[in-house]
């Protein structure tokens, strides 16, 4: 295992860089209650799809919510993987800069959304309680 500890100067530079990135993004995102983002959309144990922000061909982009996937919450677990681009993930009370390769496991009832001024692709894997219950023994194995 490789251990690495940041020096005070590196931490300061990282914090300045993160602050600079966040200055270009809104302080908050609007909340929305679109039915496709609630528990009713999980009729199968697992569902997966891509959401691409700033792509005119994406069915999820609307003039009402430019450059973003507005804040929302739901009754299932969701694994999000950033596959292209960069932006910010608004999750609970935090704003986190994101880029390709970042991933998040979001618990039920946690408000979250994305903002980007460039093309940002997010792979969503929705996991129902039924899926987790039916596979709980398998999921506990190492």
């Amino acid at each position: 295992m490789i251990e690495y500890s940041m020096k005070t100067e590196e931490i300061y530079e990282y914090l300045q860089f993160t602050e600079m990135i966040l200055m270009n993004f809104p302080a908050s995102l609007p909340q929305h209650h679109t039915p496709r983002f609630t528990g009713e959309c999980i009729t199968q144990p697992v569902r997966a799809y891509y959401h691409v922000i700033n792509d005119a061909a994406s069915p999820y982009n609307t003039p009402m919510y430019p450059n973003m996937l507005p804040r929302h919450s739901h009754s299932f677990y969701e694994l999000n993987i950033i596959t292209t681009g960069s932006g910010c993930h608004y999750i609970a009370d935090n704003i986190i800069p994101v880029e390709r390769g970042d991933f998040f496991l979001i618990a039920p009832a946690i408000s979250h959304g994305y903002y980007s001024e460039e093309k940002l692709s997010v792979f969503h894997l929705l996991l129902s309680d039924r899926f987790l219950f039916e596979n709980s023994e398998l999921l506990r194995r190492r």
Side-chain angles (χ1 to χ4, degrees):
M1 183 167 122
I2 298 173
E3 290 189 29
Y4 177 77
S5 61
M6 293 178 79
K7 296 176 184 169
T8 304
E9 301 85 32
E10 291 174 318
I11 293 171
Y12 181 72
E13 286 176 16
Y14 175 77
L15 291 174
Q16 280 186 316
F17 176 71
T18 302
E19 185 177 309
M20 184 180 69
I21 290 172
L22 294 178
M23 284 180 5
N24 295 321
F25 293 95
S28 65
L29 294 179
Q31 185 79 24
H32 77 93
H33 305 283
T34 305
R36 72 173 162 240
F37 295 111
T38 65
E40 294 80 46
C41 75
I42 301 294
T43 56
Q44 308 91 5
V46 176
R47 180 174 175 227
Y49 67 96
Y50 270 98
H51 186 120
V52 184
I53 296 171
N54 283 329
D55 181 359
S58 175
Y60 300 106
N61 286 339
T62 67
M64 181 184 246
Y65 300 119
N67 304 334
M68 72 180 78
L69 170 58
R71 280 185 173 272
H72 60 282
S73 60
H74 30 66
S75 61
F76 46 84
Y77 283 87
E78 181 177 17
L79 176 65
N80 287 177
I81 303 170
I82 308 302
T83 59
T84 60
S86 63
C88 278
H89 189 190
Y90 294 71
I91 183 166
D93 294 328
N94 303 295
I95 304 173
I96 302 166
V98 298
E99 62 185 7
R100 182 176 184 249
D102 291 343
F103 64 94
F104 301 89
L105 181 60
I106 303 160
I110 300 296
S111 177
H112 61 282
Y114 289 93
Y115 181 90
S116 180
E117 293 188 359
E118 62 181 63
K119 189 172 176 180
L120 176 70
S121 299
V122 183
F123 174 76
H124 301 268
L125 181 63
L126 314 180
L127 304 169
S128 69
D129 287 342
R130 184 175 116 206
F131 171 81
L132 295 173
F133 178 75
E134 290 174 355
N135 294 284
S136 59
E137 186 177 322
L138 180 64
L139 294 168
R140 279 190 220 118
R141 292 185 192 161
R142 293 180 189 227

